[in-house]
Amino acid sequence: MSYLSHQEYAKLKLQPLINELSISILSKLPSDIESFTLNWLISNQKPLLSIPEQEEFKHLKIELEKLKQGKEGEPEGISSSTSSDDDDYIEDHLIQLPSNKFRTSVSAEAYGQWNKRSDFKPRHIPKTNEQRQRIIEVIDKCFMFSSLEKIEKEVLILAFEEKRFAPGDKVIRQGDDGNELFVVDQGELSCSKVFPHETEERYLKNYTSGEAFGELALLYNVPRAASIVSVTESLCWVLDRDCFNNIVKDAARKKRETYESFLASVPLLKDIDNYEKTQMADALQTVNYVPNEYVIREGEWGDIFYLVEDGEAVATKTMKPGLPAIEVHQYGPGGYFGELALLKGAPRAANVIAKTPLKCAIMDRRAFKRLLGPLEDILKRNASEYEGYKF
């Protein structure tokens, strides 16, 4: 976990922040969102932030100040090399939710009207082996589909429709109704938007292979927030609204239900109320390890908290320099580790190694401090059972 890809970083660090901020905004409905957001970030700043988190906070603060002051020009940090995970951030701040579309969380649409859907029959578009392989390679690079199970991905592969665009083709027009999600396979497409009180489109970024766009209109049932034009000869895989709602959204719903059930079985969390468990469920992500794989290593800096969902792990520690590490603790389902490095801001003091196939629910530092902060005394007290090898 020391070296995170763009997708992992967004999944572990950026998305929980966006979810928490969105909940705060939608619960208060401030008239000045930019000022509210800036104040929210300042008030929620934690003392034990890693260097990357400090840089992230600094960057967000600068951008929000620019928005507040109404400065013109391209948003800083947005370029043709921006990842698809940044796109979610861009479009979340461009989309205007009408008052009758109030949401209690980013994913609230998945738990409301959508649950009343009729029987779903995914479309089946035959694919060649070469097309199937291209789709697999593309969606494996796309953050949006990272939590889908193998069988769900298979449904998507069959449902995707191939669409080709020539240079200059308008793929999405700002203000139009949206019924499709686009995943770029080949080529390059440009995203631009006409902002309020402006007449000219403002360039935002380019989309390339493995990036997706168009999902926000499907999530919130609002018009397209920006326009997309094909810059080169482009090939996109297009997913219809029904499949998106029933497969991609369904995965989010299943994730929440699974984690809520799991969290209810963790003794540490018995005093956490149901709302807090729901917030934790949205913040958690799943990571799998094979036997003998290191989950954390002694001496590394830690910014992840782990809850064991399934399998067993052992903690080992080097008690004396030059001697092999010895086993000092065991973990099974419901067990947890990694909390003390987050509480104390210190390097890991021991290894944790998967003993069997291991499935963990993980939470980053920000979500840990926000959601488990009230349990700090309990966590420190529990540490006494393995005093001397805190990690």
Side-chain angles (χ1 to χ4, degrees), residues 326-339:
I326 64 171
E327 183 178 317
V328 292
H329 203 72
Q330 296 187 2
Y331 300 97
Y336 60 91
F337 54 88
E339 77 283 2

Side-chain angles (χ1 to χ4, degrees), residues 36-245:
F36 177 89
T37 302
L38 181 60
N39 292 331
W40 182 89
L41 286 168
I42 293 173
S43 65
N44 283 271
Q45 185 179 12
K46 302 300 182 181
L48 299 177
L49 292 176
S50 65
I51 297 300
E53 287 172 326
Q54 292 177 28
E55 291 301 314
E56 176 188 334
F57 182 87
K58 180 180 178 181
H59 176 74
L60 287 172
K61 185 175 180 180
I62 291 172
E63 291 304 309
L64 287 167
E65 286 174 345
K66 286 184 178 180
L67 287 173
K68 184 181 177 183
Q69 296 168 9
K71 290 189 176 181
E72 302 292 334
E74 179 182 328
E76 180 181 342
I78 299 176
S79 68
S80 61
S81 62
T82 307
S83 73
S84 61
D85 308 309
D86 298 322
D87 305 341
D88 296 333
Y89 174 80
I90 294 169
E91 291 196 56
D92 281 341
H93 289 280
L94 298 184
I95 195 167
Q96 292 115 20
L97 293 177
S99 58
N100 66 341
K101 294 290 184 182
F102 177 80
R103 300 287 186 259
T104 56
S105 74
V106 169
S107 57
E109 170 78 9
Y111 312 107
Q113 183 67 27
W114 167 63
N115 281 331
K116 300 177 183 179
R117 67 187 186 276
S118 58
D119 291 340
F120 168 61
K121 293 182 180 180
R123 64 184 184 181
H124 187 146
I125 302 174
K127 306 287 192 308
T128 65
N129 289 335
E130 189 268 340
Q131 287 176 317
R132 286 179 54 85
Q133 187 58 40
R134 289 212 321 270
I135 294 174
I136 291 171
E137 291 175 357
V138 169
I139 65 176
D140 281 348
K141 292 188 290 186
C142 188
F143 169 68
M144 186 181 303
F145 306 114
S146 60
S147 63
L148 296 179
E149 300 292 340
K150 184 176 180 180
I151 190 171
E152 294 168 332
K153 288 185 178 180
E154 184 63 29
V155 174
L156 290 188
I157 291 171
L158 294 173
F160 272 119
E161 178 184 0
E162 180 183 274
K163 289 192 177 182
R164 295 180 179 270
F165 303 98
D169 282 355
K170 200 90 166 185
V171 181
I172 283 179
R173 190 181 304 274
Q174 182 177 343
D176 286 354
D177 290 334
N179 292 303
E180 295 176 318
L181 165 75
F182 297 78
V183 183
V184 182
D185 185 341
Q186 301 170 10
E188 189 172 352
L189 302 99
S190 174
C191 174
S192 60
K193 176 180 174 67
V194 178
F195 286 86
H197 311 300
E198 296 182 4
T199 58
E200 299 294 326
E201 285 188 335
R202 190 188 301 183
Y203 166 79
L204 297 179
K205 65 155 290 171
N206 278 9
Y207 289 95
T208 57
S209 179
E211 297 182 280
F213 58 86
E215 75 279 5
L216 292 182
L218 305 185
L219 283 168
Y220 298 108
N221 293 321
V222 293
R224 297 295 193 186
S227 295
I228 305 290
V229 176
S230 185
V231 177
T232 66
E233 293 282 347
S234 302
L235 187 158
C236 293
W237 294 106
V238 182
L239 193 65
D240 63 289
R241 177 187 288 274
D242 283 346
C243 197
F244 178 85
N245 285 347

Side-chain angles (χ1 to χ4, degrees), residues 349-361:
N351 305 299
V352 175
I353 307 168
K355 186 177 180 180
T356 67
L358 183 68
K359 182 179 181 181
C360 290

Side-chain angles (χ1 to χ4, degrees), residues 362-380:
I362 62 175
M363 181 187 301
D364 76 336
R365 177 190 295 274
R366 183 180 291 106
F368 174 84
K369 297 291 285 185
R370 172 173 61 87
L371 297 170
L372 295 183
L375 295 176
E376 186 167 332
D377 290 339
I378 296 176
L379 290 168
K380 288 180 177 178

Side-chain angles (χ1 to χ4, degrees), residues 198-363:
E198 296 182 4
T199 58
E200 299 294 326
E201 285 188 335
R202 190 188 301 183
Y203 166 79
L204 297 179
K205 65 155 290 171
N206 278 9
Y207 289 95
T208 57
S209 179
E211 297 182 280
F213 58 86
E215 75 279 5
L216 292 182
L218 305 185
L219 283 168
Y220 298 108
N221 293 321
V222 293
R224 297 295 193 186
S227 295
I228 305 290
V229 176
S230 185
V231 177
T232 66
E233 293 282 347
S234 302
L235 187 158
C236 293
W237 294 106
V238 182
L239 193 65
D240 63 289
R241 177 187 288 274
D242 283 346
C243 197
F244 178 85
N245 285 347
N246 288 274
I247 300 298
V248 182
K249 280 186 179 179
D250 200 27
R253 177 183 60 81
K254 289 178 180 178
K255 172 182 176 289
R256 171 178 280 193
E257 292 176 350
T258 298
Y259 274 132
E260 285 179 342
S261 175
F262 166 66
L263 293 174
S265 69
V266 178
L268 170 69
L269 306 177
K270 61 182 176 62
D271 295 325
I272 297 280
D273 64 32
N274 290 333
Y275 175 78
E276 289 171 318
K277 285 189 175 75
T278 296
Q279 301 310 301
M280 284 189 65
D282 287 342
L284 292 170
Q285 302 294 336
T286 296
V287 179
N288 293 287
Y289 300 92
V290 298
N292 300 318
E293 183 176 1
Y294 279 74
V295 182
I296 62 176
R297 290 182 181 272
E298 188 174 352
E300 289 184 344
W301 285 93
D303 60 357
I304 301 294
F305 172 67
Y306 300 81
L307 288 160
V308 179
E309 291 188 60
D310 190 38
E312 299 178 355
V314 297
T316 66
K317 180 173 175 61
T318 303
M319 294 301 188
K320 292 183 180 181
L323 295 179
I326 64 171
E327 183 178 317
V328 292
H329 203 72
Q330 296 187 2
Y331 300 97
Y336 60 91
F337 54 88
E339 77 283 2
L340 293 180
L342 288 119
L343 290 170
K344 295 177 176 294
R348 306 290 194 190
N351 305 299
V352 175
I353 307 168
K355 186 177 180 180
T356 67
L358 183 68
K359 182 179 181 181
C360 290
I362 62 175
M363 181 187 301

